[in-house]
């Protein structure tokens, strides 16, 4: 309990710094007067979804991450294909792996019903659902900055080029995050989101059979459900406690048990080793930095004011 209280206090302290540092047009109280019931409605649907399927928490967090890395946090990932563009859902990082869209649909329907009209953007729903998913699985709380508007287009090409790949080296990861205005600490903290959820065999097969910086027993365990050929969609946990937001992910990296090549790159004799060690033994430090970096990521090129639109349906442009 003391640890949880300290996490909350540390997070609240960081929030005042965030408001000064980011100079964002977004605001944590954006809907206070427009529809004060909006955020509780999001939380209720998220908690119900995560209760039904614990894995859904990781899926909703991932949707926000993959949305923000493609031309900013604008809900473009949610759009289905049209004659004008191909949906980002079919980009390599998302195809047959991004999930939770039906939960976002339920949230949108419920929020619009409670508010009496479409006033909450799909982009904001993604941001709030990510936070509420983390909290539902025991992670830190942070005040989500709000007021984003929704894009009217999508870019599968940008999704393919800008979303970090599980095969990336540390320099490539640093560059990919840097392109979004995120630094090395953000990279390590946000990668800690892999403390929940699973990955498919085809994404970690090469590491399991070919990487040298991997614990041999761990490799054999993963090979048992991920053969050299076939079983591409077989799942393996990203850390031992897939439904609890903790620091086991970082402890695994120290023991050379990172599931993805890009995970283990964070602890492989490079500049991020010391931060991984810190997070592995200091849950409060990780919780504080994760919350801070989530707010920072949520501020990537938002559409505000008269830009974009508030979609009536998250899957389609009005």
């Amino acid at each position: 309990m003391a640890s949880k209280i300290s996490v909350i206090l540390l997070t609240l302290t960081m929030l005042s710094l965030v408001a000064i540092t980011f100079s964002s047009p977004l605001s944590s109280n954006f809907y206070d007067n427009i529809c004060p019931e909006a955020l509780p409605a999001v939380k209720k649907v998220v908690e119900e979804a995560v209760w039904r399927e614990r894995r859904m928490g990781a899926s909703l967090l991932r949707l926000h991450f993959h949305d923000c890395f493609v031309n900013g946090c604008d809900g473009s990932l949610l759009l289905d294909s049209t004659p004008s563009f191909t949906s980002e859902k079919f980009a390599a990082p998302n195809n047959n792996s991004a999930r939770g869209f039906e939960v976002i649909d339920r949230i949108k329907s419920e929020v619009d019903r409670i508010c009496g009209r479409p006033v909450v953007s799909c982009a904001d729903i993604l941001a709030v659902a990510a936070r509420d998913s983390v909290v539902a699985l025991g992670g830190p709380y942070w005040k989500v900055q709000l007021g984003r508007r929704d894009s009217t287009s999508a870019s599968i090409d940008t999704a393919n080029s800008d979303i970090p790949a599980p095969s990336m080296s540390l320099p490539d990861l640093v560059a990919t995050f840097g392109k979004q205005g995120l630094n090395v600490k953000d990279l390590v903290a946000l990668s800690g989101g892999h403390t929940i959820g699973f990955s498919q065999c085809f994404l970690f097969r090469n590491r399991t059979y070919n990487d040298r910086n991997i614990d041999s027993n761990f490799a054999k365990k993963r090979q048992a459900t991920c053969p050299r050929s076939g079983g591409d969609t077989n799942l393996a946990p990203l850390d031992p406690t897939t439904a609890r937001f903790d620091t086991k992910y970082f402890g695994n990296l120290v023991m050379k048990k990172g599931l993805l090549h890009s995970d283990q790159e964070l602890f492989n004799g490079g500049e991020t080793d010391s931060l991984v060690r810190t997070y592995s033994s200091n849950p409060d430090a990780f919780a504080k930095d994760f919350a801070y970096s989530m707010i920072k990521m949520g501020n990537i090129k938002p559409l505000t004011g008269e830009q974009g639109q508030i979609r009536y349906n998250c899957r389609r442009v009005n």
Side-chain angles (χ1 to χ4, degrees), residues 229-286:
S229 62
D232 285 0
T233 60
N234 292 351
L235 297 175
L238 285 161
D239 94 341
T241 53
T242 59
R244 187 164 68 245
F245 199 94
D246 54 26
T247 61
K248 294 290 176 57
Y249 165 79
F250 295 107
N252 259 19
L253 299 186
V254 173
M255 296 185 291
K256 298 183 180 180
K257 294 181 180 180
L259 182 63
L260 304 177
H261 177 83
S262 56
D263 287 333
Q264 196 59 56
E265 280 291 287
L266 300 180
F267 192 84
N268 193 35
E271 62 179 311
T272 53
D273 281 17
S274 61
L275 193 53
V276 168
R277 281 196 183 278
T278 296
Y279 290 160
S280 71
S281 60
N282 192 333
D284 288 353
F286 169 52

Side-chain angles (χ1 to χ4, degrees), residues 167-174 261-262 265:
S167 59
M168 279 185 170
S169 65
L170 181 58
D172 286 341
L173 288 168
V174 171
H261 177 83
S262 56
E265 280 291 287

